[in-house]
Amino acid sequence: MRSWTDTLRFAFQPVVNLMTGGVAALEILARPESGDVLAEARRDPELDGLLAVSALRAAVRRETLLPLHVNVFAGTLADLGGLQPLHDAVREAGRLPWEVTLDVCPPYTHVPRRALLDAVAVLRRQGFRIAADGVGDGDAPLRLLTDLAPELVKLDASLLARPAAVRAMRVLCEESGALLAVEGVETEAQCAVARAAGAQLAQGELFAPPARLPTVDVYVPPGSPGLVPPRSGPSVRQFVRPAALLPATASAGRVRALLTGSPDVSGVLLVDRDGVPVRSVHRSRFLLSMSGRYGHALYADRPAAKLGDPPRTVGVDATAWEVLDVVAVGGPNRTSDDVAVVDARGRCVGVVRLADLVRALAESRVEEAAGLNPLTRLPGSDAITAEVDRRIAAGRALALSWLDVDRFKQVNDGAGFAAGDELIRAVGRALLQAAAGETRVGHIGGDDFLVLTDPDGLDPLAASVLDVPWSAGGRPVTLSLATVLCAPGSVPDHRRAAACLAPLKKAAKALRGASWVLGRADAPGHEIRRGTDRTTAPAG
């Protein structure tokens, strides 16, 4: 009698890094030739556990060095309290648990929450990484998702029709230290939406379909990277590549075999039993030592650590600029070395390459320069509105202000355009000097400025520009300021915030002298903070 294993095959689908265009991992998918073993596994935890072990062994037989994703139902983990057979199979195969991510799949309904969380805690202690699969198309409660604290959240591509929801999930992932992936991407338009919403990883037929053999030959459409936190530089998470890991006790001969059999591997990290890097072996320097006279005889059976260097590491929350600082400190002979990226426990989650960082930072500088106003060197409206959307998606209160010079055309006509330009530059400098914390200042053209800040920062900002005696060519000048306060949930995006700001701008321009009008997106009317009504005759 044939067993279910006789009709079961496995396929491999790449998980693609949208920043580097490389393959970050391989997901192993069960493909039964007949019957529905997955439906049976959903009902039978023991069978599901055996499927996970079989998937891992199928990958090991293909001798892939890439990190692996193995699927398991949430109910299986809760019922079994973990997956000890899978942990044993990983060790037997010579792989390391932290190279394996368990994609916890729905349904979650009726799964005992405490039992699931306890099982995940066991898996983490064993070294496995956790991904929450099927988010957006499954039944994962938000509270459970935050309690699981996965290293990766996988969204269903159907959510790409609601970019705001994807951006909100990106913000949640940033807060919890997780990466965001989108599954089922089939078109370049979907890929563009995923990038714009901030997803770092993706899977789908667009990049590569599931195949019987592991592949790193994927198609990634060209395009701009996703949203990154302003002023901090791109996150190192966007550049992480799979690391070639071997135990700290590995011999030089074993390292040589790995490098000669994998030409794309630029180096090997030797890690201790907890996955913490202890030595870094650079490909070229190592092979040069081994290829020298008597090199193989001298080193082959000796620990590879003797031919390695101290590892250079950065945390998963580092920025690309911080990585460059680490590279600069390491000395000129190690500029081509990979930098290990480690989690809060010091375990290696991958590596970053200097070439990826330099290319991305150069591109970001070009894009940033293209968006700067040539007069003030301040960013335009796109940068400010993108940040408005990011804060709205994060559920943060914000204050969006518009500032301009009263009767600026008359200023230019009377004092000359050179004096007008100098006035605009001076106003821009004053705004920048007053911009504390996460305040963003933009120059959207002419005499118009946009300022985004927290509500608590409004008063000092207003004072910095309204309490100053401005002039152009010896002529006194006044400014008008309009601000809309947006409480969490009061506006869906920057377009609605701008629509709420428009009547406040008109109201500020109707006032005499330096003026400031303050309104709220969720309430009618406005408050006059500075200025007097032009229809009111001055006293005396």
Side-chain angles (χ1 to χ4, degrees), residues 212-252:
R212 291 292 175 87
L213 296 176
T215 180
V216 293
D217 185 15
V218 295
Y219 168 72
V220 181
S224 299
L227 298 175
V228 296
R231 288 193 175 183
S232 62
S235 168
V236 72
R237 296 171 184 271
Q238 300 179 61
F239 305 95
V240 174
R241 292 176 175 266
L245 304 177
L246 285 177
T249 56
S251 68

mmCIF file of all heavy atoms in Angstrom, residues 212-252:
data_model
loop_
_atom_site.group_PDB
_atom_site.id
_atom_site.type_symbol
_atom_site.label_atom_id
_atom_site.label_comp_id
_atom_site.label_asym_id
_atom_site.label_seq_id
_atom_site.Cartn_x
_atom_site.Cartn_y
_atom_site.Cartn_z
ATOM 1 N N ARG A 212 10.827 22.596 -9.084
ATOM 2 C CA ARG A 212 11.343 21.403 -8.413
ATOM 3 C C ARG A 212 12.786 21.579 -7.970
ATOM 4 O O ARG A 212 13.240 20.917 -7.041
ATOM 5 C CB ARG A 212 11.222 20.197 -9.348
ATOM 6 C CG ARG A 212 9.773 19.770 -9.590
ATOM 7 C CD ARG A 212 9.170 19.203 -8.316
ATOM 8 N NE ARG A 212 7.771 18.879 -8.460
ATOM 9 C CZ ARG A 212 7.308 17.713 -8.909
ATOM 10 N NH1 ARG A 212 8.174 16.781 -9.282
ATOM 11 N NH2 ARG A 212 6.021 17.493 -8.983
ATOM 12 N N LEU A 213 13.520 22.460 -8.652
ATOM 13 C CA LEU A 213 14.911 22.711 -8.287
ATOM 14 C C LEU A 213 15.048 24.124 -7.732
ATOM 15 O O LEU A 213 14.449 25.066 -8.268
ATOM 16 C CB LEU A 213 15.825 22.547 -9.502
ATOM 17 C CG LEU A 213 15.906 21.143 -10.104
ATOM 18 C CD1 LEU A 213 16.776 21.163 -11.358
ATOM 19 C CD2 LEU A 213 16.467 20.160 -9.096
ATOM 20 N N PRO A 214 15.826 24.300 -6.675
ATOM 21 C CA PRO A 214 16.053 25.651 -6.146
ATOM 22 C C PRO A 214 16.694 26.529 -7.208
ATOM 23 O O PRO A 214 17.548 26.079 -7.976
ATOM 24 C CB PRO A 214 17.004 25.419 -4.971
ATOM 25 C CG PRO A 214 16.861 23.970 -4.618
ATOM 26 C CD PRO A 214 16.541 23.269 -5.892
ATOM 27 N N THR A 215 16.285 27.794 -7.250
ATOM 28 C CA THR A 215 16.846 28.711 -8.237
ATOM 29 C C THR A 215 17.135 30.062 -7.607
ATOM 30 O O THR A 215 16.469 30.473 -6.658
ATOM 31 C CB THR A 215 15.883 28.907 -9.424
ATOM 32 O OG1 THR A 215 16.476 29.811 -10.366
ATOM 33 C CG2 THR A 215 14.555 29.502 -8.955
ATOM 34 N N VAL A 216 18.161 30.715 -8.111
ATOM 35 C CA VAL A 216 18.429 32.097 -7.709
ATOM 36 C C VAL A 216 18.274 33.019 -8.920
ATOM 37 O O VAL A 216 18.592 34.206 -8.846
ATOM 38 C CB VAL A 216 19.853 32.250 -7.125
ATOM 39 C CG1 VAL A 216 19.968 31.504 -5.816
ATOM 40 C CG2 VAL A 216 20.918 31.771 -8.121
ATOM 41 N N ASP A 217 17.760 32.464 -10.021
ATOM 42 C CA ASP A 217 17.554 33.234 -11.239
ATOM 43 C C ASP A 217 16.143 33.810 -11.202
ATOM 44 O O ASP A 217 15.172 33.145 -11.567
ATOM 45 C CB ASP A 217 17.739 32.343 -12.463
ATOM 46 C CG ASP A 217 17.644 33.120 -13.774
ATOM 47 O OD1 ASP A 217 17.718 34.361 -13.719
ATOM 48 O OD2 ASP A 217 17.482 32.484 -14.835
ATOM 49 N N VAL A 218 16.015 35.049 -10.737
ATOM 50 C CA VAL A 218 14.707 35.671 -10.578
ATOM 51 C C VAL A 218 14.648 36.970 -11.369
ATOM 52 O O VAL A 218 15.677 37.585 -11.667
ATOM 53 C CB VAL A 218 14.390 35.956 -9.089
ATOM 54 C CG1 VAL A 218 14.279 34.669 -8.310
ATOM 55 C CG2 VAL A 218 15.443 36.866 -8.472
ATOM 56 N N TYR A 219 13.418 37.369 -11.694
ATOM 57 C CA TYR A 219 13.198 38.648 -12.362
ATOM 58 C C TYR A 219 12.651 39.640 -11.340
ATOM 59 O O TYR A 219 11.645 39.369 -10.680
ATOM 60 C CB TYR A 219 12.200 38.502 -13.512
ATOM 61 C CG TYR A 219 11.714 39.842 -14.038
ATOM 62 C CD1 TYR A 219 12.562 40.666 -14.778
ATOM 63 C CD2 TYR A 219 10.424 40.297 -13.758
ATOM 64 C CE1 TYR A 219 12.136 41.904 -15.250
ATOM 65 C CE2 TYR A 219 9.989 41.535 -14.227
ATOM 66 C CZ TYR A 219 10.847 42.329 -14.964
ATOM 67 O OH TYR A 219 10.429 43.551 -15.418
ATOM 68 N N VAL A 220 13.327 40.775 -11.194
ATOM 69 C CA VAL A 220 12.857 41.824 -10.295
ATOM 70 C C VAL A 220 12.752 43.110 -11.097
ATOM 71 O O VAL A 220 13.769 43.606 -11.607
ATOM 72 C CB VAL A 220 13.810 42.024 -9.096
ATOM 73 C CG1 VAL A 220 13.272 43.099 -8.160
ATOM 74 C CG2 VAL A 220 13.991 40.717 -8.338
ATOM 75 N N PRO A 221 11.536 43.672 -11.242
ATOM 76 C CA PRO A 221 11.387 44.907 -12.026
ATOM 77 C C PRO A 221 12.204 46.039 -11.435
ATOM 78 O O PRO A 221 12.327 46.142 -10.204
ATOM 79 C CB PRO A 221 9.880 45.212 -11.931
ATOM 80 C CG PRO A 221 9.244 43.933 -11.516
ATOM 81 C CD PRO A 221 10.262 43.203 -10.692
ATOM 82 N N PRO A 222 12.790 46.876 -12.271
ATOM 83 C CA PRO A 222 13.501 48.046 -11.731
ATOM 84 C C PRO A 222 12.510 48.999 -11.091
ATOM 85 O O PRO A 222 11.346 49.055 -11.470
ATOM 86 C CB PRO A 222 14.149 48.666 -12.973
ATOM 87 C CG PRO A 222 13.277 48.220 -14.107
ATOM 88 C CD PRO A 222 12.789 46.848 -13.745
ATOM 89 N N GLY A 223 12.975 49.731 -10.116
ATOM 90 C CA GLY A 223 12.093 50.689 -9.456
ATOM 91 C C GLY A 223 12.729 51.237 -8.217
ATOM 92 O O GLY A 223 13.780 50.772 -7.767
ATOM 93 N N SER A 224 12.083 52.228 -7.656
ATOM 94 C CA SER A 224 12.590 52.866 -6.445
ATOM 95 C C SER A 224 12.313 51.977 -5.259
ATOM 96 O O SER A 224 11.327 51.262 -5.216
ATOM 97 C CB SER A 224 11.917 54.224 -6.235
ATOM 98 O OG SER A 224 12.194 55.074 -7.318
ATOM 99 N N PRO A 225 13.163 52.020 -4.215
ATOM 100 C CA PRO A 225 12.921 51.255 -3.018
ATOM 101 C C PRO A 225 11.727 51.785 -2.263
ATOM 102 O O PRO A 225 11.212 52.857 -2.554
ATOM 103 C CB PRO A 225 14.213 51.448 -2.203
ATOM 104 C CG PRO A 225 14.768 52.732 -2.704
ATOM 105 C CD PRO A 225 14.397 52.801 -4.144
ATOM 106 N N GLY A 226 11.295 51.030 -1.273
ATOM 107 C CA GLY A 226 10.155 51.440 -0.475
ATOM 108 C C GLY A 226 10.472 52.605 0.435
ATOM 109 O O GLY A 226 11.560 53.159 0.440
ATOM 110 N N LEU A 227 9.465 52.989 1.227
ATOM 111 C CA LEU A 227 9.638 54.117 2.132
ATOM 112 C C LEU A 227 10.693 53.798 3.173
ATOM 113 O O LEU A 227 10.778 52.688 3.667
ATOM 114 C CB LEU A 227 8.312 54.414 2.846
ATOM 115 C CG LEU A 227 7.137 54.822 1.947
ATOM 116 C CD1 LEU A 227 5.890 54.965 2.798
ATOM 117 C CD2 LEU A 227 7.440 56.129 1.242
ATOM 118 N N VAL A 228 11.506 54.772 3.517
ATOM 119 C CA VAL A 228 12.490 54.609 4.583
ATOM 120 C C VAL A 228 12.349 55.760 5.539
ATOM 121 O O VAL A 228 11.919 56.849 5.163
ATOM 122 C CB VAL A 228 13.933 54.565 4.028
ATOM 123 C CG1 VAL A 228 14.135 53.368 3.147
ATOM 124 C CG2 VAL A 228 14.255 55.828 3.245
ATOM 125 N N PRO A 229 12.671 55.562 6.802
ATOM 126 C CA PRO A 229 12.544 56.649 7.763
ATOM 127 C C PRO A 229 13.404 57.835 7.371
ATOM 128 O O PRO A 229 14.571 57.685 7.028
ATOM 129 C CB PRO A 229 13.059 56.012 9.071
ATOM 130 C CG PRO A 229 12.916 54.552 8.869
ATOM 131 C CD PRO A 229 13.133 54.320 7.416
ATOM 132 N N PRO A 230 12.855 59.070 7.361
ATOM 133 C CA PRO A 230 13.621 60.235 6.951
ATOM 134 C C PRO A 230 14.793 60.493 7.883
ATOM 135 O O PRO A 230 14.753 60.170 9.052
ATOM 136 C CB PRO A 230 12.596 61.378 7.032
ATOM 137 C CG PRO A 230 11.269 60.749 7.263
ATOM 138 C CD PRO A 230 11.503 59.380 7.758
ATOM 139 N N ARG A 231 15.813 61.106 7.323
ATOM 140 C CA ARG A 231 16.977 61.601 8.056
ATOM 141 C C ARG A 231 17.835 60.507 8.684
ATOM 142 O O ARG A 231 18.902 60.789 9.181
ATOM 143 C CB ARG A 231 16.544 62.588 9.158
ATOM 144 C CG ARG A 231 16.084 63.927 8.602
ATOM 145 C CD ARG A 231 15.992 64.938 9.716
ATOM 146 N NE ARG A 231 15.669 66.245 9.185
ATOM 147 C CZ ARG A 231 15.582 67.328 9.920
ATOM 148 N NH1 ARG A 231 15.806 67.274 11.207
ATOM 149 N NH2 ARG A 231 15.285 68.488 9.376
ATOM 150 N N SER A 232 17.365 59.292 8.740
ATOM 151 C CA SER A 232 18.166 58.252 9.364
ATOM 152 C C SER A 232 18.899 57.410 8.340
ATOM 153 O O SER A 232 19.753 56.625 8.686
ATOM 154 C CB SER A 232 17.268 57.345 10.210
ATOM 155 O OG SER A 232 16.310 56.704 9.409
ATOM 156 N N GLY A 233 18.542 57.557 7.065
ATOM 157 C CA GLY A 233 19.137 56.733 6.036
ATOM 158 C C GLY A 233 18.399 55.409 5.938
ATOM 159 O O GLY A 233 17.653 55.009 6.837
ATOM 160 N N PRO A 234 18.576 54.691 4.836
ATOM 161 C CA PRO A 234 17.897 53.409 4.658
ATOM 162 C C PRO A 234 18.278 52.421 5.763
ATOM 163 O O PRO A 234 19.412 52.390 6.227
ATOM 164 C CB PRO A 234 18.410 52.927 3.290
ATOM 165 C CG PRO A 234 18.914 54.153 2.607
ATOM 166 C CD PRO A 234 19.420 55.044 3.681
ATOM 167 N N SER A 235 17.315 51.610 6.148
ATOM 168 C CA SER A 235 17.571 50.593 7.177
ATOM 169 C C SER A 235 18.411 49.462 6.601
ATOM 170 O O SER A 235 18.264 49.076 5.439
ATOM 171 C CB SER A 235 16.248 50.035 7.690
ATOM 172 O OG SER A 235 16.464 48.880 8.477
ATOM 173 N N VAL A 236 19.285 48.915 7.426
ATOM 174 C CA VAL A 236 20.133 47.810 6.985
ATOM 175 C C VAL A 236 19.293 46.586 6.624
ATOM 176 O O VAL A 236 19.708 45.738 5.825
ATOM 177 C CB VAL A 236 21.166 47.468 8.080
ATOM 178 C CG1 VAL A 236 20.511 46.778 9.252
ATOM 179 C CG2 VAL A 236 22.279 46.610 7.521
ATOM 180 N N ARG A 237 18.093 46.497 7.174
ATOM 181 C CA ARG A 237 17.221 45.347 6.882
ATOM 182 C C ARG A 237 16.960 45.207 5.393
ATOM 183 O O ARG A 237 16.727 44.104 4.898
ATOM 184 C CB ARG A 237 15.881 45.511 7.603
ATOM 185 C CG ARG A 237 15.958 45.505 9.119
ATOM 186 C CD ARG A 237 14.613 45.891 9.706
ATOM 187 N NE ARG A 237 14.653 45.997 11.150
ATOM 188 C CZ ARG A 237 14.425 45.006 11.976
ATOM 189 N NH1 ARG A 237 14.131 43.815 11.493
ATOM 190 N NH2 ARG A 237 14.473 45.177 13.278
ATOM 191 N N GLN A 238 16.959 46.328 4.685
ATOM 192 C CA GLN A 238 16.637 46.279 3.266
ATOM 193 C C GLN A 238 17.756 45.676 2.417
ATOM 194 O O GLN A 238 17.547 45.344 1.251
ATOM 195 C CB GLN A 238 16.337 47.694 2.764
ATOM 196 C CG GLN A 238 15.170 48.346 3.478
ATOM 197 C CD GLN A 238 14.922 49.740 2.971
ATOM 198 O OE1 GLN A 238 14.630 49.931 1.790
ATOM 199 N NE2 GLN A 238 15.031 50.724 3.837
ATOM 200 N N PHE A 239 18.927 45.537 2.992
ATOM 201 C CA PHE A 239 20.082 45.073 2.221
ATOM 202 C C PHE A 239 20.578 43.697 2.659
ATOM 203 O O PHE A 239 21.599 43.234 2.165
ATOM 204 C CB PHE A 239 21.228 46.082 2.361
ATOM 205 C CG PHE A 239 20.851 47.482 1.985
ATOM 206 C CD1 PHE A 239 20.454 48.383 2.960
ATOM 207 C CD2 PHE A 239 20.869 47.894 0.672
ATOM 208 C CE1 PHE A 239 20.089 49.670 2.624
ATOM 209 C CE2 PHE A 239 20.510 49.178 0.328
ATOM 210 C CZ PHE A 239 20.116 50.072 1.305
ATOM 211 N N VAL A 240 19.882 43.067 3.596
ATOM 212 C CA VAL A 240 20.382 41.805 4.151
ATOM 213 C C VAL A 240 20.349 40.704 3.092
ATOM 214 O O VAL A 240 19.333 40.476 2.434
ATOM 215 C CB VAL A 240 19.553 41.385 5.381
ATOM 216 C CG1 VAL A 240 19.977 39.998 5.856
ATOM 217 C CG2 VAL A 240 19.736 42.397 6.500
ATOM 218 N N ARG A 241 21.477 40.050 2.948
ATOM 219 C CA ARG A 241 21.596 38.876 2.085
ATOM 220 C C ARG A 241 21.780 37.641 2.958
ATOM 221 O O ARG A 241 22.230 37.743 4.099
ATOM 222 C CB ARG A 241 22.813 38.997 1.152
ATOM 223 C CG ARG A 241 22.703 40.071 0.082
ATOM 224 C CD ARG A 241 23.994 40.166 -0.710
ATOM 225 N NE ARG A 241 23.906 41.096 -1.820
ATOM 226 C CZ ARG A 241 23.593 40.755 -3.062
ATOM 227 N NH1 ARG A 241 23.328 39.488 -3.341
ATOM 228 N NH2 ARG A 241 23.541 41.664 -4.018
ATOM 229 N N PRO A 242 21.463 36.464 2.440
ATOM 230 C CA PRO A 242 21.718 35.239 3.219
ATOM 231 C C PRO A 242 23.201 35.095 3.538
ATOM 232 O O PRO A 242 24.064 35.437 2.727
ATOM 233 C CB PRO A 242 21.239 34.123 2.282
ATOM 234 C CG PRO A 242 20.277 34.784 1.344
ATOM 235 C CD PRO A 242 20.789 36.186 1.160
ATOM 236 N N ALA A 243 23.491 34.604 4.708
ATOM 237 C CA ALA A 243 24.881 34.393 5.124
ATOM 238 C C ALA A 243 25.246 32.926 4.965
ATOM 239 O O ALA A 243 24.428 32.035 5.193
ATOM 240 C CB ALA A 243 25.067 34.818 6.577
ATOM 241 N N ALA A 244 26.465 32.678 4.552
ATOM 242 C CA ALA A 244 27.002 31.317 4.540
ATOM 243 C C ALA A 244 27.577 31.054 5.931
ATOM 244 O O ALA A 244 28.568 31.663 6.325
ATOM 245 C CB ALA A 244 28.080 31.183 3.473
ATOM 246 N N LEU A 245 26.925 30.168 6.673
ATOM 247 C CA LEU A 245 27.291 29.914 8.060
ATOM 248 C C LEU A 245 27.855 28.514 8.241
ATOM 249 O O LEU A 245 27.361 27.547 7.644
ATOM 250 C CB LEU A 245 26.067 30.075 8.971
ATOM 251 C CG LEU A 245 25.319 31.408 8.917
ATOM 252 C CD1 LEU A 245 24.099 31.371 9.822
ATOM 253 C CD2 LEU A 245 26.243 32.552 9.313
ATOM 254 N N LEU A 246 28.884 28.412 9.048
ATOM 255 C CA LEU A 246 29.433 27.123 9.446
ATOM 256 C C LEU A 246 29.769 27.197 10.937
ATOM 257 O O LEU A 246 30.002 28.284 11.478
ATOM 258 C CB LEU A 246 30.697 26.790 8.657
ATOM 259 C CG LEU A 246 30.511 26.353 7.195
ATOM 260 C CD1 LEU A 246 31.870 26.136 6.533
ATOM 261 C CD2 LEU A 246 29.656 25.095 7.096
ATOM 262 N N PRO A 247 29.787 26.046 11.602
ATOM 263 C CA PRO A 247 30.143 26.055 13.027
ATOM 264 C C PRO A 247 31.551 26.602 13.243
ATOM 265 O O PRO A 247 32.430 26.500 12.365
ATOM 266 C CB PRO A 247 30.057 24.574 13.415
ATOM 267 C CG PRO A 247 29.182 23.950 12.384
ATOM 268 C CD PRO A 247 29.427 24.706 11.126
ATOM 269 N N ALA A 248 31.772 27.174 14.393
ATOM 270 C CA ALA A 248 33.077 27.768 14.707
ATOM 271 C C ALA A 248 34.199 26.739 14.656
ATOM 272 O O ALA A 248 35.363 27.091 14.476
ATOM 273 C CB ALA A 248 33.022 28.425 16.079
ATOM 274 N N THR A 249 33.857 25.463 14.797
ATOM 275 C CA THR A 249 34.873 24.393 14.795
ATOM 276 C C THR A 249 35.177 23.862 13.400
ATOM 277 O O THR A 249 35.983 22.941 13.251
ATOM 278 C CB THR A 249 34.393 23.233 15.664
ATOM 279 O OG1 THR A 249 33.106 22.794 15.184
ATOM 280 C CG2 THR A 249 34.261 23.664 17.128
ATOM 281 N N ALA A 250 34.538 24.422 12.360
ATOM 282 C CA ALA A 250 34.718 23.898 10.997
ATOM 283 C C ALA A 250 36.184 23.959 10.582
ATOM 284 O O ALA A 250 36.908 24.894 10.901
ATOM 285 C CB ALA A 250 33.861 24.690 10.020
ATOM 286 N N SER A 251 36.592 22.955 9.839
ATOM 287 C CA SER A 251 37.967 22.912 9.358
ATOM 288 C C SER A 251 38.128 23.803 8.132
ATOM 289 O O SER A 251 37.154 24.161 7.456
ATOM 290 C CB SER A 251 38.348 21.484 8.981
ATOM 291 O OG SER A 251 37.608 21.064 7.837
ATOM 292 N N ALA A 252 39.356 24.143 7.821
ATOM 293 C CA ALA A 252 39.635 24.940 6.632
ATOM 294 C C ALA A 252 39.221 24.195 5.372
ATOM 295 O O ALA A 252 38.762 24.800 4.396
ATOM 296 C CB ALA A 252 41.115 25.302 6.582
#
